[in-house]
Amino acid sequence: MSLKRTLGTCYYPEHWPEEIWAEDAARMADLGLTWVRIGEFAWSRLEPAHGDLRLDWLERAIDTLHRAGLKVVLGTPTATPPRWMLDRHPDMLAVDADGRPRGFGSRRHYCFSHDGYRAEALRITAILAKRFGPKVEAWQTDNEYGCHDTILSYSDAARHAFRDWLAQKYQSPEALNRAWGNVFWSMDYDSFDQIDLPNLTVTEPNPAHTLDFRRFSSDQVARFNAGQVAAIRAHSTAPISHNYMGRIVEFDHFTLGRQMEIATWDSYPLGFLEDRLEEPPEVKRHYARQGDPDFQAFHHDLYRAVAAQFPSGDLPRWWVMEQQPGPVNWAPHNPAPAPGMVRLWTWEAFAHGAECVSYFRWRQAPFGQEQYHAGLLRPDSVPAPGYHEAAEVARELATAPMVEMAQAPVALVFDYASAWAWAVQPQGQGCDYFRLVFEIYRGLRKLGLSIDILPPDTARLNGYRLVLVPAVVTLSEPLKRALAMTGAQVLIGPRSNAKTAALSIPLPLPPALPGLDVTVSRVETLRPDMPLPMAGAGHVTLWREELEGGAEVLDRDADGRPVTMRAGNLTYLGGWPDPAFLRHLVIRACDAAGVATLDLPPDIRVRQAGKTRFVFNHGPGPVTFDGVTLPPAGVLRQGPA
Amino acid sequence: MSLKRTLGTCYYPEHWPEEIWAEDAARMADLGLTWVRIGEFAWSRLEPAHGDLRLDWLERAIDTLHRAGLKVVLGTPTATPPRWMLDRHPDMLAVDADGRPRGFGSRRHYCFSHDGYRAEALRITAILAKRFGPKVEAWQTDNEYGCHDTILSYSDAARHAFRDWLAQKYQSPEALNRAWGNVFWSMDYDSFDQIDLPNLTVTEPNPAHTLDFRRFSSDQVARFNAGQVAAIRAHSTAPISHNYMGRIVEFDHFTLGRQMEIATWDSYPLGFLEDRLEEPPEVKRHYARQGDPDFQAFHHDLYRAVAAQFPSGDLPRWWVMEQQPGPVNWAPHNPAPAPGMVRLWTWEAFAHGAECVSYFRWRQAPFGQEQYHAGLLRPDSVPAPGYHEAAEVARELATAPMVEMAQAPVALVFDYASAWAWAVQPQGQGCDYFRLVFEIYRGLRKLGLSIDILPPDTARLNGYRLVLVPAVVTLSEPLKRALAMTGAQVLIGPRSNAKTAALSIPLPLPPALPGLDVTVSRVETLRPDMPLPMAGAGHVTLWREELEGGAEVLDRDADGRPVTMRAGNLTYLGGWPDPAFLRHLVIRACDAAGVATLDLPPDIRVRQAGKTRFVFNHGPGPVTFDGVTLPPAGVLRQGPA
Amino acid sequence: MSLKRTLGTCYYPEHWPEEIWAEDAARMADLGLTWVRIGEFAWSRLEPAHGDLRLDWLERAIDTLHRAGLKVVLGTPTATPPRWMLDRHPDMLAVDADGRPRGFGSRRHYCFSHDGYRAEALRITAILAKRFGPKVEAWQTDNEYGCHDTILSYSDAARHAFRDWLAQKYQSPEALNRAWGNVFWSMDYDSFDQIDLPNLTVTEPNPAHTLDFRRFSSDQVARFNAGQVAAIRAHSTAPISHNYMGRIVEFDHFTLGRQMEIATWDSYPLGFLEDRLEEPPEVKRHYARQGDPDFQAFHHDLYRAVAAQFPSGDLPRWWVMEQQPGPVNWAPHNPAPAPGMVRLWTWEAFAHGAECVSYFRWRQAPFGQEQYHAGLLRPDSVPAPGYHEAAEVARELATAPMVEMAQAPVALVFDYASAWAWAVQPQGQGCDYFRLVFEIYRGLRKLGLSIDILPPDTARLNGYRLVLVPAVVTLSEPLKRALAMTGAQVLIGPRSNAKTAALSIPLPLPPALPGLDVTVSRVETLRPDMPLPMAGAGHVTLWREELEGGAEVLDRDADGRPVTMRAGNLTYLGGWPDPAFLRHLVIRACDAAGVATLDLPPDIRVRQAGKTRFVFNHGPGPVTFDGVTLPPAGVLRQGPA
C-alpha cells in the first residue's frame, strides 16, 4: 500500500476580480498544486435572494481552474447562510447555554435541529450537485462542523427535536425516568413534553440527561451531513469530504466517517498550541513558532481512523484540507511559524498517510474577519514565506518515492462518547477525556512509537501488539469481545468500562472485565499540586482509583496501594499517569509485546511509514539523533528509496 | 450538663427495591446507628401528580426502620418540587442576578417569594405531618436553604413582595427616600411600585437599597420555614430541625433557630476546604485529606448558638445531619479523607456538643447527580472505609463517658446582617465579613481557646471573660447595653458600630461607644500585598481605620499611628489583623481576662468540654503535644473518665 | 502666555440642610477656593415630577455661594434622569452587549440614541440655561460621558439610529457590502434594515461592521452634547465644559473639544492605578499611595489638546474638575494618599497648564454610593487631611508666580479612532492602543521630556522638533501632508497607516509613506513571555512587523531583521518597543532633533512650563535629583521667580 501525494489550496474566486482568476490558476499550477477548494462561503453570491440563482460565475471559475489543469473540490455553502435566510426562518439560529440566540454577522449561525434551515441546506446542495456534479472532482460538505462551539444549541428547535429523540429512544417517560434515575431528586417526568434542555438549572442537571443531550446533538450533526451527502450522491460520483477541526469532540466523527469517502481536517499548529492545549506557559513559549510536536500527528492518526470508517476496500483517504501557511488571526497570540515549519507540517501529514495537503488560503484577504490570516500570497499577490516552502515540498514530491502505509504496532482507542461522559461528569477540575488520551498518545510518541487510532466499536485487533484503552467510559460489546480474544498486550483504564450506557455506576463495580479480578472500589480526584508518588517512577495525578481483587499487582503507590493490576495480557491502570509513570508503563508493555521503543530527544518525533522512517525536529534548535544532526524544522527520511 | 450522643444516617428508600429495606435497617442497627433521616427529596414519589398521594410506601419504610429499633427524621420534600408543579406555577422559579430563570432539572428551583409555591409546600407539609406526625421521632424542613446560591431571587414574585416589604417598613416613599439617601444621584421614588430589585443597574446600586433587599430575602426564608413549622406543629409534637450548610450567610440562621427545637448542619470538610475557603494553595494541599482544622469547629459553635435561640430551658440541641463519610462529588477536587478523619470529625462534633452525627448517606447512589459521593456502603452494598470508622465511633460511644457541656470563657459575636452589609459595601476586594470573623476564630483556636458564638442581639454576657465583637456593622441596643455593663475584656472592631441601620455613616462618627473616646476619622482598604507593619508584632491588612481621640493607645503601627485604643475593659481595634498581630492581641486580652492560652502546634486543636479536654490532630503526620504523640487523625480525651 | 490658577470644589447643596449652606460657602472662601460646581445630579430635586419645576432652591444655593464671593459651575443633570423619566420612556435604557437593559438605580442609565430621552435632556438644559444662564460663571454638560462603560449601547434605539447612520454614510447596501467586504462569509445585506448591531454573533463579526458601530457610537455622544451646548448658548455666554474621565476612549474627545470652551477631567490617581493600568503588581504596590507617575500627566496633556480644539485665539482652557482628595470607594483597593500627594497632584496639574483644580467633593457624603469617598471635609464637617493640603496650595498660589505655558519640543499624536480599530482587531491579547501610546509617553517622560499631544487631523507641526505617531491606524490627509513637510524628526509606527478607512489592508501595503521605501510584509503578535531581543538594547514585544524595502535600516533584531528603517527625518518603527528599546529610540531621535534629555531617577518626573521647571517626586521615599533632595511628594520649582 503506497500513496500518491498532492498539494492544494483554498481559493475564493468571489473575493477577486474575475480578470485575475486565470493568472491565479496558472500560478497555482506552476507552484505544483493539484487541488483547489472553492465555494464553501459563497452562498450570498450564488443565491443573492431566495431562488435567484447565479451559478454561472462559479462555473466560469471552475472552468478556469480546470483549464489550468487543476482539480476542484466544491464546498456546499451551508456554513454561511445569507441574511435573507433569517427573514425566512427567524428561529433558525442556534441558542447558547445562557439562552441567547447566536446572531447573523459572522458564520455558523444555524441550529442543526432546525428543519426549515435543513431543508434550505439540502436544497442548495442539490442545486449545486445537479449543476456541478458532473464537473467537479470532489465535494466538501459545509465547513468545520463544531467550530466556534456550534454543536450544542439550546433553541426551541433543539428542544422539540430532543424530545422526539428521547421518545424514540425510551418509548415511555417511565423508561426514561428509570434509565436516568430521576427518582434521585424528584426529577421524574410524566411526559416527554416536560423535558427541557439541560441548561440553566439551579445546580448540575442529571448527568444522564446531559449525556443524552450530547448524544442527540451529535446525531443531529450526522443527520444534517447525511442529508447533504445524499443530495450530492443523487447527482455526482465524485468523492465527498468534510473538513474537521482540531480538538472538536462534540460530535462523533466516526459516524460521519462512515458517510463520506474522504476525511479531511484543518491543521493550524500555532493557533492550536495557544488556544487548545493545557501545556504550561514555558512549553507554549518553547513551541510558539513550531506548534505542539504531537497535536497534529494525533489528528492525522485520528482522522485516518475516521476515514477508515468509510465502507470500501481502499486505503483510508484523508487530507489536510486547510494547512496553516503563516501567522493566523484567531489565537490569543499569533506569531509567524519558524522557517521550514510549513514544509515540516506538510511532510508530517504525508508521513501519517495524507493524500493531499491543501494550504489555506491562496491569497491573504485584505477585508473581512481574517485579514491577518496569511495566505500563500500576500494581499499584494507577492509570494509570502509559506509559498516558498510549499514550492519546496512540490519539488521534493516530484522526485520523492511514494509513502508506504502499514498498520502500526500500537493501537489506541478513541471514543467521542467518552469525551462527553467525562465532560458531563468530570469529578475534578482538569479531568478531561481528550487531555488524558492525548497525554498518553504523547507518551507513546516520545518513545518513538507509531500509532493507529481505533474507534470504540472496533471488533478486531488483529495485527496489533499493544492496545491502549484509556478512559473509555462504557466499553462496546464488539470491543469487549475483541479485547477478550486478542493476544496483544492490553493496557486499559483509568475509568474504562466505568459506567453503564445511562452513565450509572454498574454492578458489579467496574471494570468488570472477564478474567481480570480487579474492582474499582472508590474514585477520588486530586488537586494538581498533590500528585500521588508511585513506589517506582512517577506519580498518579488528578484521577485516582482504589483497586482491589485477586489479580497480580504490577505497580503500587508509595503507600503500597495497587495502581496497576494484571491478568495475562490484560493490565488495568487505576489512575491518571504523569509522564514518568506513563513512560514506565509503556516501556514495560512494549517489552512484553515485543515492540521496540526509542529514547528520543525531547523535540524529535518519528513516524514509521512502512519501511521508511521519517524523523522530524519540532524544536527551535538543531538536534542530534541517531548520529544525524537535524536543523530546526528538519525532516529526515530514512529507509529504502 | 452532659450529653447523650448518637449516630445516624441519611437513607432514601425510594432509591432501592423494597425487598432490601429490612436488611438495610438491620445493618444500620448493627452498626450502632440510632437515627435515620428519610424523605426529603421524595415528593415526586409521594405525589406523582397533583393530589395523587402515595404515602403508603413511606409508611412501610418508616415501619421497617422502626422495627429495627431505629428512630426516624422525616424531611419535608419541598427542596425538590416535582415537574408537574411547574405546570401549575410556571413563574415559581427563582431568577438569577442576570435575569435568567433557574430551571427545573436539579433541585431548589423555587423562589421563596412565590405565594403559589409556598402554599403547595405548606400543603404537602401538612399532609405529611398529619399522616406521620404521630409516628416519626423528628422532622426536618426542606433541605439546605441557600445551597446553590438560592436565597437571592430576582423574580417578579420577589419584586412584588419586596415592594410590599418596603411599604410596610417605610410607610411612605418619602421616608424610604430619606432613609436610603436617594437624593444622592436623583434616585428618589414617587411610589413603591417604582422600586426594582437591585440587579442589572449601570453601576453599583444604592447600598441601602441592596441591604434592604438582603434583609427582605432573609425574611422570606424565615417566613417560608415558619409556615412549615406551623404546619408540622399542628399535627406533631416531635422536634423540628433544618439542616444548614457551611458558610451560607444569606439568611439569618438565628431567626430560624428561634423557630425550631434542633439546629443541624451538613459537614463536608474536604468539599468546604476546596470550595469555600480563602486559604492559599499550599494550605489547601496540606489539609486536602483532612479539611480545614477550624472550619467545622466554627460551624459547630455557630449552630450550637443557633440552636440556643429556641426558647426552652434545655441544653441547645444541635446535630450534624450530614457528615461526609468519604470523597464527595461537588468540589473542584474530591480526594478521599485520610484514614481516621471520619472518626475525628465525628468526635470533634461531639466535643463541641453535638447530640447526633448522621452520615450522608447510607449507600452510594449509582445514578443521579451524586454518583461519586461516597456513602457508608458502596453501590454494591459492601462497607466503604467510612463505614468502619463509624463502627469504631459506635463502639467507643458505647463505653465512653458522657460529654459535658459548659460555657466557654470566650465569646465571639456573629451577625448575619453584618455579612450582608460587608457584601453590599466591601470597600476593597477580599473584605468579607465571614472571612474576618473566621480568621479571628482561628486565631483564638490556635491559642487553645474554646469559644461560644453569640447572636448580635445578645443582652447578657455573664460568665464570659473575653468577648470579641469584630465587624458588627451596626450594634444592637441590647448588645450595646451588655457591653457597657460587662466586666469582661471586650475587643471590638474593626468596622464595628460603623453604620446606621440604613447603612449610612452615623454622626458622631463611629464607633461612638460610651466611655471610649475613639473616633474613626478615615477608612482605607489595602492591597493584599501591602500589609501595614505594626510597631510590634504583625501587620494590619486589607481594612484599616485611622483612629483619633483621647483613649489610651495600646498598639501603634510602624509609623506611630494608633491601631488599638482602650478605655477600661473596652479595646477598639482599627484594622484587620494578620495572624501575628491577632495572636498578640488575643494573648494580651486573655492575660487581662485571666484566661489561659496554649501554645499549640500548627495541626493541633483542642476543645474543652466541661472538665474533659479533647485534643485533635488535624495534620497528615504525627504530632507531639503536651507530652503525648498523636497519630494523624488522632483524637485524645483528657480529663475525668 | 501665563496663567492665573484657581482652586475649586464640588458641592451638593441638595444633600445638606439649607441652614448650613452659608457656613459651607464661607468656609470654602476662607480656604481660598474660587469655583464651586453644583447641580449635576439634582434632577429629581429640580423636577420631582415631569413639568413640576422646583428651581428656587438652586437659585438660593447659587446666591449663597455668590454672596461668599465664589463662582459657580452649573452642571446639567442629565447623567441622572429621575425615575419618572423611565415611565415616560420605558425604552430609554442602554442595553449591554449581552442584550440586558441597564436599569434604573444608579446613574448613566440612558442610551445616547434614544430621541425621546435626548429631547428631555435638551428640555431641562434649556430650562436651566434660561433661568440661570445670566447668573452662573460656567457650565458643565452631563457628567463623565463613558463612565461605567456607557457609550456602546445595543438597544433598539441604537439599532435604528445605526441603520440611519449607515444609510447616510453608504447610501446603498451595495456600497456598504463593498466597503465592509461582506462577500467574505456571505454577509451581504440587501437593505439597511437587515443590519444588526455587532453583538452576540457566533464568532467575531466583520471588523468593518464593528468599527462603524464604534464611530457611530462616538458620533451619538457628540450629537447629544452638541444639543446641550446649543441649548445653553441660547441663554448664556458663560463658558461650557464637560468633565471627562481617565482612559475613556470610546468617543472622540477632540470632537467634543471643538464644541466647548473648557475641557475638564476628573483625576483620581489612586483609583486609576488600581483599576485602569496594566502595570504589574509590584509597581501598583510601589505607587499605591501616590498613583502612577505618568497617568495624570498624560491626561493633563491630552485634555489640554482637547481644549485647544475650541476655535478661539486664547490659551487652551482646561481644568481638573474633580481632584481626588483622599481615599475613594470604587477601585479594587482604596488606600489613602500619602501625605503631600493631594498638593503634588494639584501642582502637577498647574504645571501642565490647568486653569483650575477642583476637589471632589466638599464634604464626604454619609449616604448613597460614595460614602467612603473622601471629601475636603469629613461627614462631621471636620477638615479631612486633603483639606489641609488644599489650604497649603491656596497659600502657595497667593504668592507664587504665574505658570508660563509654552509649546513643548516633542509632540505625540493621539487618535481615538485608532483606539477603536485596535480594540476591534487587536490581533493579539494585550495589544491595546492606549497602552502602547501611554508606554511611549512614559518613555518620553522618563527622559525628562515635556510633551504636547496632538489630534490625528493635525495639519501643522511647526515648532516641534520631535513628532511621534505610533499606532495611528489610518493617517489623515492633513497629517500626512504635515509629516511630509515637517523638518522635525518623526518616529512613526508600529501599525501606523496600516488600514484603509474601512479597516481593510491597503494596497500598496503599509505604511506607504511618500519618500520612505518601507513595506510591512507581514504582521505577527507575540506571547508576552517571548519578547524578541534586539541586536542592541531591549526587545520588541507583543506586536511585530516584518519590514522590507530600500530605506536605511537603523535597528535590527538579534536575527538581523530590520526593526526600524529611515529616510531623511522619517523613521518607521516596526514593533512594540519595550522600555529599554524605547529609551534607545527616543535618545537617538532627540539627539538628531537637538532636544536635550535627562537621566531621571525612577520616581522623578519634570515638567517644563516656559522658563520654569517643575520637579515632582512621585515615590514613597526621598530622592536626590540634580543636587536637590526631594522629600516624598516633594514639588520643586526651578527657574525664574
Side-chain angles (χ1 to χ4, degrees), chain B residues 280-318:
Chain B
E282 60 274 15
V283 171
K284 294 199 176 186
R285 188 177 58 222
H286 181 73
Y287 290 118
R289 297 187 181 283
Q290 286 77 18
D292 185 89
D294 298 300
F295 192 82
Q296 285 68 246
F298 181 89
H299 286 84
H300 295 331
D301 290 344
L302 174 62
Y303 292 123
R304 190 175 66 245
V306 167
Q309 297 302 298
F310 187 73
S312 94
D314 299 338
L315 213 54
R317 299 186 65 181
W318 70 275

Side-chain angles (χ1 to χ4, degrees), chain A residues 310-379:
Chain A
F310 187 74
S312 95
D314 298 337
L315 213 55
R317 301 186 65 182
W318 71 274
W319 298 12
V320 174
M321 185 60 94
E322 302 183 10
Q323 173 62 57
Q324 175 169 3
V328 299
N329 65 300
W330 48 265
H333 309 285
N334 295 294
M341 287 309 299
V342 172
R343 171 176 169 265
L344 182 149
W345 295 329
T346 309
W347 271 110
E348 189 184 41
F350 289 139
H352 285 258
E355 194 179 291
C356 175
V357 174
S358 167
Y359 301 97
F360 182 89
R361 48 189 283 158
W362 176 244
R363 184 188 292 105
Q364 184 175 349
F367 48 77
Q369 278 88 334
E370 296 177 346
Q371 299 179 27
Y372 287 114
H373 191 305
L376 292 176
L377 302 185
R378 302 188 333 201

Side-chain angles (χ1 to χ4, degrees), chain A residues 3 16 24 101 114 175 236 271 293 405 479 503-504 508 548 593 629:
Chain A
L3 194 66
W16 312 108
D24 277 338
H114 192 275
S236 178
M405 283 293 104
L479 183 56
L503 205 58
S504 292
E548 55 182 48
T629 298

Side-chain angles (χ1 to χ4, degrees), chain A residues 81-102:
Chain A
R83 179 61 180 80
W84 54 256
M85 188 69 73
L86 205 53
D87 293 329
R88 292 174 59 84
H89 305 286
D91 57 348
M92 65 172 277
L93 299 172
V95 172
D96 71 16
D98 285 324
R100 299 172 308 190
R102 307 184 69 183

Side-chain angles (χ1 to χ4, degrees), chain A residues 41 44 100 103 289 336 371, chain C residues 98 186 188 200 499 524-525:
Chain A
F41 298 132
S44 74
R100 299 172 308 190
R289 297 188 181 284
Q371 299 179 27
Chain C
D98 284 324
S186 277
D188 298 289
L200 297 174
K499 290 298 193 90
E524 65 172 350
T525 53

Side-chain angles (χ1 to χ4, degrees), chain A residues 385-578:
Chain A
Y387 179 98
H388 300 294
E389 299 196 22
E392 187 177 352
V393 176
R395 285 191 298 272
E396 292 169 334
L397 282 178
T399 60
M402 308 288 268
V403 176
E404 278 188 281
M405 283 293 104
Q407 184 173 1
V410 178
L412 175 66
V413 174
F414 189 85
D415 175 33
Y416 288 92
S418 291
W420 313 333
W422 281 75
V424 166
Q425 202 173 46
Q427 179 64 7
Q429 279 179 0
C431 292
D432 176 90
Y433 173 77
F434 182 95
R435 179 182 179 184
L436 173 56
V437 175
F438 180 63
E439 287 186 7
I440 288 172
Y441 179 87
R442 188 197 293 287
L444 298 168
R445 293 253 299 167
K446 285 163 78 176
L447 288 164
L449 299 168
S450 294
I451 301 125
D452 283 349
I453 289 179
L454 300 179
D457 56 354
T458 295
R460 294 176 69 250
L461 295 167
N462 305 34
Y464 294 109
R465 286 187 278 170
L466 171 61
V467 177
L468 297 100
V469 192
V472 174
V473 171
T474 307
L475 288 183
S476 70
E477 289 305 318
L479 183 56
K480 268 198 257 188
R481 283 192 297 270
L483 290 171
M485 291 168 49
T486 185
Q489 289 293 315
V490 175
L491 184 62
I492 186 165
R495 207 182 196 182
S496 287
N497 215 31
K499 289 297 192 91
T500 70
L503 205 58
S504 292
I505 297 175
L507 293 183
L509 293 180
L513 296 171
L516 180 68
D517 181 10
V518 172
T519 295
V520 176
S521 63
R522 188 154 78 162
V523 164
E524 66 171 349
T525 53
L526 305 175
R527 298 173 53 88
D529 60 4
M530 54 179 283
L532 195 73
M534 298 295 299
H539 298 77
V540 161
T541 184
L542 292 174
W543 178 279
R544 181 183 163 263
E545 299 170 355
E546 295 185 14
L547 306 183
E548 55 182 48
E552 178 194 2
V553 177
L554 280 186
D555 299 284
R556 295 183 185 273
D557 65 21
D559 291 333
R561 295 173 300 187
V563 175
T564 59
M565 296 177 75
R566 172 171 66 184
N569 59 335
L570 192 59
T571 301
Y572 186 82
L573 165 61
W576 184 305
D578 75 352

